Amino acid sequence: MRVLMSTYGSRGDVEPLVALALRLRELGAEVRMCAPPDFAQRMADVGVPFVPVGPSASALTASAPPVSSFSQRAADLIANQFEAVAAAADGCDVLVATGMVPAAAGALSVAEKLGLRAVSVTFQQLTLPSPHRRPLAYPGRPFPQGVTDNRVLWDLDAQSNNELFGEALNINRTANGLPPVADVRGYVLGDRPWLATDPVLDPWEETPDFEVVQTGAWIEPDTRSLPSDVEAFINAGTPPVFVAFSTMHMHASADTVQLAIEAIRAQGRRALVSHSSTGIDDQDDCFFVGEVNHQALFRRVAAVVHHGGAGTTTTATRAGAPQVVIPQLADQPYWASRVADLGIGVALEDPTSESVSAAVKTALTAETRARATEVAGAIRTDGAEVAAKMLLGATAG
């Protein structure tokens, strides 16, 4: 079987597909990937044939284009999908689509045109309509004040998707001999979307509207050793606390990272700090690290202070590392709330010197460590394998 994967987004949208691709390949499938050009080297490293789509995702995010250009950028993404995915799909049997709504809509339309089986996947449930929670609002399109009914809010979300992406999608569909779509979000999700998250960390509550297939998170085991200088720092004293804030997903100030370092020092601990967090003082008890194996690192640290991205949260939870999550946007507050609800760390949306200090102190307690260890033992490790077998028809799906 030949499988085509398509996404447009950040590393968090690509790495799960890498995990799935490698499992599929182990089961005898051929796999190729459509993704932003940023990930050409990553695909080369794992030996997955790669087709670049659209402009650099990281450059687009860093440029912070105005909200007024959102619809035009979406139109460009859809056109890119029709061009690149159609060419990449030659000889393929199934498409796995994820990423930004307009990109997924474009890729799924190509699959429809070519008669390919398609699976729509999301890596966080906040894109799935549910009466149990409210949707995320698009930038520049806040929900009306005073509206609290989740079903009404999801109806407004569907309206936003249609207004932002409907015209561009249907222009491309019509040009390719496809009928127009009246409900963009509904088209992308279909009647049986896959949710590639862990059911303990991210439990899905069933709704009568459609069926969700939750596979577990798709994470590729990382076997890389930690750099020797990182090993030396860790071994030089009690386990340090790791601090990392993603520059692509979060606009955390150096002040916030400095607050975390000061709180760590106040507890008599040392800090490991990601190089993505810049402008921080450099002292003997504060060591800076670049790209490292987080799966290995998180098992060696006393706690992790981070932004609340899905990947970082899942990796820390699987490692049994207590967490302090300081979210600012998108799905980060949701993951922070899950960490707090599970008792494996602290969610902190308004960081001050006092609140960060108290949060780090709580994360470093024996009680939080014990709870984090307990939850880690319940996290599934076979999500990518489950999904690969379902995709290939080896198990009921």
Side-chain angles (χ1 to χ4, degrees), residues 135-336:
L136 298 172
Y138 278 102
R141 300 177 70 91
F143 294 120
Q145 291 186 354
V147 178
T148 58
D149 187 311
N150 287 336
R151 290 192 178 275
V152 173
L153 292 173
W154 279 108
D155 287 343
L156 292 172
D157 175 74
Q159 180 179 325
S160 289
N161 276 278
N162 290 336
E163 292 174 355
L164 289 170
F165 314 130
E167 181 179 5
L169 175 61
N170 287 327
I171 287 174
N172 281 279
R173 286 178 61 86
T174 300
N176 283 273
L178 295 170
V181 166
D183 176 8
V184 175
R185 188 191 68 198
Y187 177 74
V188 169
L189 295 180
D191 58 4
R192 202 164 183 258
W194 288 13
L195 174 60
T197 61
D198 185 82
V200 172
L201 181 60
D202 184 38
W204 169 255
E205 297 182 69
E206 297 294 339
T207 78
D209 301 320
F210 53 87
E211 180 184 0
V212 171
V213 180
Q214 189 165 24
T215 64
W218 301 351
I219 298 179
E220 173 63 16
D222 193 336
T223 60
R224 294 176 297 165
S225 299
L226 294 176
S228 57
D229 54 353
V230 175
E231 283 278 4
F233 181 79
I234 292 173
N235 293 332
T238 55
V241 176
F242 184 61
V243 180
F245 291 97
S246 168
T247 55
M248 184 168 183
H249 293 295
M250 172 177 178
H251 306 291
S253 68
D255 290 342
T256 302
V257 181
Q258 187 66 55
L259 286 177
I261 295 173
E262 291 171 357
I264 293 164
R265 287 171 173 158
Q267 298 302 316
R269 299 278 185 161
R270 300 168 301 145
L272 273 168
V273 182
S274 170
H275 270 309
S276 62
S277 305
T278 58
I280 309 303
D281 64 337
D282 187 6
Q283 299 184 27
D284 291 342
D285 63 350
C286 183
F287 189 84
F288 291 85
V289 298
E291 170 63 28
V292 295
N293 178 351
H294 282 181
Q295 294 176 30
L297 180 64
F298 289 2
R299 292 194 293 268
R300 303 284 300 281
V301 298
V304 180
V305 182
H306 63 96
H307 60 289
T312 304
T313 304
T314 302
T315 302
T317 303
R318 288 182 66 179
Q323 302 172 57
V324 175
V325 187
I326 307 177
Q328 284 197 357
L329 51 81
D331 59 339
Q332 295 167 6
Y334 170 75
W335 294 111

Side-chain angles (χ1 to χ4, degrees), residues 357-391:
S357 181
V360 170
K361 183 177 181 179
T362 297
L364 291 174
T365 62
E367 292 79 9
T368 304
R369 167 63 68 173
R371 177 59 180 162
T373 300
E374 178 185 3
V375 171
I379 300 297
R380 295 184 62 164
T381 61
D382 63 345
E385 182 177 359
V386 168
K389 289 180 177 179
M390 288 174 55
L391 197 62

